[in-house]
Amino acid sequence: MSRYKPKEAPVIPVVSASGSGADREEQMRKWEEDQRRAREAQATAAAPAPVAAAAPVLPAQADGVTADGSAGQAVEPAADAPDGDAPAVPARPPAVGYLPMPEFTQPDSDDPAERLEFYSRGILAVQYAARANHERAEQQKLIGLGLRLQAMKDEELHKTAGFETFGEMTDARFRIKKHQANNILRVMPVAQALEDITTQELKERPLRVLVPVLETHGRDAVRETWLEAARHGNVTDTALKQAANFLGYAPPKELPAAPVQKQEKPPAAAQVSESLRAVERIRELAEQDPARARREAEELESAVRELVEELSGNLG
C-alpha cells in the first residue's frame, strides 16, 4: 500500500506554443471560462440547504425589563443553540480575468520519475498562472491610475495640496512625471474599451495609436482594430497602425508639400541648430563605432519623443 494519500492533480492549462498570440490568448480565455464554470458547479453542489432565520431574541436586563423597554421575563437561549451562530460571510468571488494559483498536491505514485514529472508539471502551471495574472494586473494598474488621476485633475485637487500645477503634484507625491501622467490619461479610455476582450498587459505606448481611432470612430472600432492586429501575433504599435489602416480607421496621411525649386546656400556653421549638430556628431561616430552610434541615436530619439510629448501636454 502506498504511504502517500492520492490527491487531485493541479489543473494545468494546455496552450499550444506553435500558434499565434491571438490563438494562445483564445485558448487561455477558454480555459479560464471552463475553470470558472467548474468552480460555480462545485460551489452549487456544496452549498448547504437554506435555513429559516429565527426570530431575534431581545436580551434581558437585570431588573427583568427587556431591551425595548417593556416588562417581561428574561428569556434564556435554547440549550441546543450553537455557539457563534452568526450569518456566514460569503466567499469573495475571484477577480475577473485572473487565474487561480494551482494548489499544491502530491502524486499517487511511488515511482521517483513519475513524482518528478508530476511536480515539474505543477511548477509550469504556477509559472503560467503567474505570468497571466501579472499581465492582467498591469492592465488594471493602467486603468486604476488613469481613473484616479483624471478625478484629481478634474477637481483641481493639486490646489488643495498646495501645488501650482497638477503635474507638480503627481511628480512630488507619486513619482509620476508630468508627461507620464498625461500619457496615462490619454490612453486610459482605450484600455477601458479593451479590458473585457483581452487579459494581456496593455502598454501605454502602443495604445496611443488607438486614441484617434477612439475619438473618431468609437469603442467598437478600437476593439475591432485590436482583434485584427492580434490575429497576426504580438500586438505592437506597428501592428495596430496597419490594422487601423486596413479597416479604414486610420487618419489620412498628409502629403508633403511640393519641394521648392530654388537654390539655397548651405547654412553657415553658426546657423546650424544644436539638434543638427548632435545628429552630425553621431554620423561621424558611426564611421568609427557603429554600435555606439546606434545606442546614442536611440537615446536621442527617446529623449526627443518625451520632450515633444511634454511640450504638447495639457497638464499645465
Side-chain angles (χ1 to χ4, degrees):
M1 179 181 295
S2 172
R3 67 180 185 278
Y4 300 103
K5 182 180 179 181
K7 295 184 179 180
E8 182 182 358
V11 178
I12 301 177
V14 179
V15 177
S16 173
S18 61
S20 66
D23 293 337
R24 292 194 296 272
E25 184 174 348
E26 179 62 28
Q27 294 177 50
M28 175 179 164
R29 285 201 296 267
K30 184 177 183 301
W31 183 81
E32 292 177 8
E33 181 64 19
D34 293 342
Q35 292 301 305
R36 182 186 64 78
R37 292 177 179 175
R39 289 195 300 271
E40 291 177 353
Q42 184 178 5
T44 302
V51 180
V57 179
L58 297 174
Q61 304 295 331
D63 56 358
V65 179
T66 59
D68 63 350
S70 61
Q73 184 177 0
V75 180
E76 295 292 335
D80 57 349
D83 294 334
D85 192 15
V89 178
R92 184 177 181 180
V96 177
Y98 291 91
L99 298 180
M101 192 62 64
E103 296 182 0
F104 172 76
T105 58
Q106 292 183 345
D108 56 1
S109 172
D110 294 334
D111 182 79
E114 293 181 358
R115 296 178 67 80
L116 173 61
E117 176 65 17
F118 182 90
Y119 291 134
S120 298
R121 293 174 66 241
I123 288 176
L124 294 176
V126 169
Q127 291 175 334
Y128 178 90
R131 286 194 302 269
N133 291 338
H134 172 75
E135 290 196 3
R136 184 64 166 182
E138 288 297 316
Q139 175 195 110
Q140 294 301 301
K141 173 185 174 182
L142 175 61
I143 297 174
L145 289 176
L147 290 171
R148 289 158 179 80
L149 289 172
Q150 187 66 63
M152 289 191 293
K153 181 176 183 291
D154 291 343
E155 298 178 30
E156 298 185 341
L157 296 180
H158 60 278
K159 298 179 181 178
T160 303
F163 294 94
E164 292 186 4
T165 66
F166 181 73
E168 290 178 358
M169 184 186 72
T170 61
D171 190 3
R173 285 205 166 190
F174 313 115
R175 297 296 184 266
I176 300 177
K177 297 293 185 182
K178 175 181 175 180
H179 71 276
Q180 292 174 327
N182 188 36
N183 289 335
I184 292 174
L185 294 179
R186 187 186 309 170
V187 303
M188 184 262 295
V190 174
Q192 287 181 301
L194 297 173
E195 64 174 326
D196 62 339
I197 66 170
T198 179
T199 58
Q200 290 185 9
E201 176 182 356
L202 299 178
K203 297 183 179 180
E204 175 265 327
R205 184 175 297 278
L207 293 188
R208 298 181 201 170
V209 177
L210 298 177
V211 172
V213 176
L214 177 66
E215 294 174 347
T216 306
H217 303 283
R219 290 168 58 93
D220 289 342
V222 167
R223 295 152 66 90
E224 186 180 354
T225 303
W226 176 275
L227 293 175
E228 176 61 31
R231 289 198 311 113
H232 308 287
N234 293 333
V235 181
T236 63
D237 51 352
T238 300
L240 289 171
K241 289 178 182 177
Q242 294 173 347
N245 183 68
F246 172 74
L247 296 171
Y249 296 139
K253 294 184 178 180
E254 296 183 2
L255 297 177
V260 179
Q261 301 297 329
K262 182 179 179 181
Q263 292 289 340
E264 296 183 357
K265 295 181 180 181
Q271 296 175 324
V272 178
S273 66
E274 292 293 334
S275 58
L276 293 180
R277 289 178 184 175
V279 173
E280 290 301 324
R281 184 183 61 81
I282 294 177
R283 282 201 179 102
E284 294 175 0
L285 178 62
E287 297 178 358
Q288 303 173 359
D289 191 346
R292 181 181 173 186
R294 181 177 181 82
R295 288 195 302 270
E296 292 196 12
E298 291 174 349
E299 291 176 0
L300 178 61
E301 179 186 17
S302 177
V304 170
R305 186 185 298 113
E306 288 191 2
L307 178 59
V308 171
E309 292 170 357
E310 185 173 349
L311 294 175
S312 61
N314 58 359
L315 293 182

